[in-house]
Amino acid sequence: MEEQNSGFIKFWKEYVDSEGVIHYSIINQKFISFLEGKGYRKLVVNKDFILVKIKDNSIVSVTKEHLVREEVKNLLKAENKLTVLELFMKTDYLSKKHIENIDSISIDFNSESDSMAVVYFKNGVFVITRDNIECIPYQLYDRYIWEDQILNRDFNIKSFDDCEFKKFCFNIAGQKEDRFLALETLIGYLLHSHKDPTLTKAVVLIDEDIDTESKASNGGTGKSLVAEAIKKLIPTLRKNGKLLKANDKFLFADVEQHHKLIVFDDVRDDFPFELLYSMLTGDMPIEKKYKNPVVMDFKDVPKVMITSNYVVIGTGGNSEERRKVTFEVNSYYRTVTSILDEFGHRFFDDWDENEWSKFDNFMVSCLQRYLTHGLIEAPSINEKANRLIQETNKDFVDFMDKIIANPRQCLYNQKDSDVRYDKATLYSSFIENNKEYSKTVSQITFKKWIDKYCDSNGIKYEHKKSDGKAYVYLFNILHNDPNQDNFYNDNIILP
């Protein structure tokens, strides 16, 4: 890295003519050297460049020509070189053709590795490993960073046992230590900007208790607060999930290279998760209005977090599973108490310096948890059942549950533990007892729902035709259970 000159390079020359008059001229190359001595550089971005200024050897900020012009004017006034100032003001020495001769720099935003994370606080660069935290002064840091990456608060190691945000996380994890640890690693994973090609998952926060009957969007459990907490440490782009359009080619137009996380907040039940497949595992094309498209390299593509009051559904199977990890948030702050009632104030806005310090220490500990344990996926609580209902409906699931619980009470053909049902008969029975679906649920839809039900419950199945009829075979569902409930008691009558 380059040392910045505390003084300045004289960028003009003066000479006396034969009549004793002093003349001045500005030397272009010396002026460029003067600017470089003051920390100015050009940063190449997408085949163009922007003017930046470096301070403390490593901190970079975007600047504008009028700010540079003001600095030069103030210096010349201080040196009482008003004639040189007049020359400077007559010619645009900060035009593109001039400043393109300034030395260029590049900023590698990937300063982390698979075993190390970096957080920029006001009092230094903090390098975090699984068992150590090291502070490096900015003057000694050997990389460039954006000034707006630096958090406007100091970091000092201290105890965070009574950290309010830690208690909040423990509560939304159902006050269960194993789920709390999983949540800590999820937070740490999102804070860690290093991209591992073998771990390219979006983190999805949904409610543990979803109202599948009314499909009401209840929320209020604290999912978005987790996203807001992460935003307090890394550059985050938030997108309103309710306003997203699947066919919007400018969906990622506002994504910049310094962003570390994109949060799709409060997405609807029809959110097309498969839309994110390519950006999660590869490079990300970005189209901006009135500009040429660019492609962001995989290592620079931000990680993804999604919050929703519904189950987030993709194409299913391995393609979906390897691209997301879901954490179900307990309804503690919806059914037991509120944050304001429990803590007596709002998070973030009402915190004092001490609470901020405990918060930062807890978040850094989440990074260390992730670096130690990797990404822990908490077991599903209600997600699988809620997903099935969301992809079909509650009445159908209840209908199939009763069939599977009492297969002998239905019209079937048996071979060992396998059962064959006439699909037309099943469909008629479902409609007979749920007449409101007679015009909205077709036999084709019913067949697809049977597939989803079997996939969700791990039932092996097969569709076959015989003697002009369509059958579904369900394997290994018949058990010798003399205490089976009578199917007819539930008024679901099958021929």
Side-chain angles (χ1 to χ4, degrees):
M1 309 295 289
E2 302 174 32
E3 292 294 331
Q4 301 309 316
N5 197 333
S6 59
F8 67 92
I9 295 174
K10 182 180 176 181
F11 56 86
W12 65 90
K13 69 177 181 179
E14 52 190 70
Y15 63 92
V16 181
D17 64 16
S18 59
E19 298 180 357
V21 178
I22 300 176
H23 296 271
Y24 295 89
S25 63
I26 293 176
I27 306 170
N28 287 336
Q29 187 53 52
K30 287 286 185 74
F31 183 66
I32 295 299
S33 297
F34 160 79
L35 293 177
E36 291 173 350
K38 287 294 183 181
Y40 292 101
R41 296 291 185 276
K42 67 175 187 288
L43 176 66
V44 178
V45 179
N46 297 328
K47 298 181 181 180
D48 201 353
F49 68 85
I50 55 177
L51 189 63
V52 298
K53 189 174 185 180
I54 305 168
K55 68 177 182 180
D56 290 339
N57 192 55
S58 60
I59 302 172
V60 179
S61 60
V62 176
T63 190
K64 298 293 183 182
E65 286 76 5
H66 73 274
L67 296 175
V68 184
R69 192 174 288 109
E70 192 69 24
E71 182 174 357
V72 175
K73 286 170 58 178
N74 291 337
L75 181 143
L76 291 174
K77 287 180 179 178
E79 294 292 319
N80 198 29
K81 297 296 181 182
L82 300 184
T83 306
V84 179
L85 175 58
E86 188 68 25
L87 281 173
F88 175 72
M89 294 176 65
K90 284 182 177 179
T91 304
D92 188 3
Y93 287 97
L94 296 175
S95 66
K96 188 171 184 178
K97 72 175 183 178
H98 279 89
I99 62 176
E100 68 183 5
N101 294 306
I102 295 176
D103 283 348
S104 62
I105 64 169
S106 61
I107 297 180
D108 182 1
F109 291 96
N110 302 287
S111 57
E112 301 179 333
S113 69
D114 59 354
S115 59
M116 178 267 289
V118 177
V119 183
Y120 305 104
F121 286 95
K122 191 164 64 174
N123 58 332
V125 179
F126 285 81
V127 179
I128 300 155
T129 60
R130 61 191 297 178
D131 53 11
N132 188 51
I133 301 173
E134 177 188 4
C135 178
I136 302 174
Y138 286 104
Q139 294 86 346
L140 302 179
Y141 192 50
D142 61 356
R143 305 176 72 99
Y144 290 123
I145 63 166
W146 285 116
E147 184 173 37
D148 56 11
Q149 285 182 269
I150 300 174
L151 303 174
N152 191 30
R153 54 188 186 271
D154 291 341
F155 180 80
N156 297 291
I157 298 174
K158 68 178 300 180
S159 171
F160 55 90
D161 289 342
D162 59 344
C163 169
E164 292 180 352
F165 189 72
K166 177 184 178 182
K167 183 177 181 181
F168 161 83
C169 288
F170 183 69
N171 288 336
I172 68 171
Q175 300 180 347
K176 297 176 181 178
E177 291 290 349
D178 57 339
R179 297 188 68 82
F180 177 53
L181 175 59
L183 180 58
E184 287 180 297
T185 67
L186 291 181
I187 293 172
Y189 166 75
L190 293 175
L191 289 172
H192 189 223
S193 62
H194 174 71
K195 297 293 290 293
D196 180 354
T198 66
L199 185 61
T200 56
K201 297 197 174 193
V203 171
V204 180
L205 299 188
I206 63 173
D207 291 335
E208 180 181 315
D209 298 314
I210 297 176
D211 186 353
T212 56
E213 293 280 358
S214 65
K215 294 188 176 180
S217 177
N218 292 318
T221 56
K223 301 180 295 294
S224 296
L225 201 60
V226 177
E228 186 64 23
I230 295 171
K231 184 180 178 182
K232 299 302 181 185
L233 274 84
I234 61 173
T236 299
L237 175 65
R238 178 190 176 273
K239 287 184 171 291
N240 187 331
K242 292 182 177 178
L243 302 180
L244 294 179
K245 297 179 182 178
N247 58 351
D248 183 5
K249 67 177 182 177
F250 301 116
L251 178 62
F252 300 117
D254 49 355
V255 177
E256 301 294 344
Q257 197 174 22
H258 68 278
H259 285 133
K260 301 297 184 184
L261 179 66
I262 302 176
V263 176
F264 297 92
D265 193 28
D266 198 17
V267 302
R268 299 172 303 194
D269 59 344
D270 60 351
F271 175 73
F273 179 65
E274 61 272 16
L275 185 72
L276 308 181
Y277 280 11
S278 60
M279 69 160 289
L280 286 169
T281 57
D283 300 340
M284 183 171 71
I286 298 176
E287 287 197 49
K288 296 178 182 285
K289 291 183 179 179
Y290 315 117
K291 293 185 178 180
N292 292 327
V294 297
V295 177
M296 182 176 285
D297 190 81
F298 167 76
K299 64 182 177 62
D300 298 317
V301 176
K303 290 184 177 179
V304 173
M305 178 180 179
I306 301 170
T307 71
S308 182
N309 298 324
Y310 309 95
V311 178
V312 175
I313 298 173
T315 56
N318 182 61
S319 293
E320 179 181 336
E321 289 178 6
R322 66 188 180 92
R323 287 181 170 92
K324 73 180 175 77
V325 52
T326 300
F327 185 88
E328 294 167 89
V329 174
N330 187 269
S331 59
Y332 180 87
Y333 287 105
R334 186 170 66 202
T335 59
V336 178
T337 187
S338 68
I339 289 173
L340 196 58
D341 288 339
E342 180 167 14
F343 298 102
H345 53 249
R346 297 171 300 171
F347 278 7
F348 310 128
D349 292 341
D350 295 340
W351 280 352
D352 59 17
E353 184 177 325
N354 182 51
E355 194 59 45
W356 272 108
S357 182
K358 288 186 286 188
F359 166 77
D360 288 332
N361 275 268
F362 171 67
M363 297 298 273
V364 167
S365 79
C366 288
L367 268 168
Q368 292 185 305
R369 291 284 207 182
Y370 170 67
L371 294 173
T372 301
H373 301 285
L375 185 61
I376 299 175
E377 299 192 29
S380 169
I381 301 174
N382 298 318
E383 181 198 8
K384 189 170 76 169
N386 287 333
R387 175 179 181 140
L388 177 61
I389 293 171
Q390 191 169 308
E391 291 187 302
T392 59
N393 69 42
K394 183 72 164 57
D395 293 324
F396 169 79
V397 172
D398 290 343
F399 173 82
M400 288 298 296
D401 283 347
K402 291 169 182 176
I403 288 179
I404 298 303
N406 300 274
R408 287 189 174 88
Q409 301 299 320
C410 310
L411 184 63
Y412 71 96
N413 295 105
Q414 171 189 354
K415 183 180 179 182
D416 300 326
S417 60
D418 306 333
V419 173
R420 183 185 77 173
Y421 292 108
D422 183 330
K423 284 188 285 186
T425 300
L426 282 181
Y427 175 75
S428 297
S429 300
F430 172 70
I431 296 300
E432 179 65 27
N433 291 276
N434 299 276
K435 290 184 173 60
E436 65 271 27
Y437 301 120
S438 61
K439 294 182 179 180
T440 57
V441 178
S442 67
Q443 291 197 48
I444 294 175
T445 298
F446 188 76
K447 181 262 183 188
K448 291 179 179 178
W449 285 4
I450 290 175
D451 294 351
K452 290 183 182 296
Y453 181 91
C454 291
D455 289 336
S456 178
N457 288 280
I459 298 172
K460 185 180 178 183
Y461 62 96
E462 186 176 356
H463 296 279
K464 288 184 179 181
K465 289 186 177 181
S466 178
D467 299 327
K469 292 185 177 182
Y471 296 96
V472 59
Y473 291 76
L474 306 182
F475 301 102
N476 297 314
I477 68 163
L478 206 57
H479 307 287
N480 292 318
D481 184 359
N483 297 315
Q484 245 175 351
D485 293 335
N486 192 310
F487 190 73
Y488 293 101
N489 289 342
D490 295 304
N491 297 318
I492 306 295
I493 303 173
L494 296 179

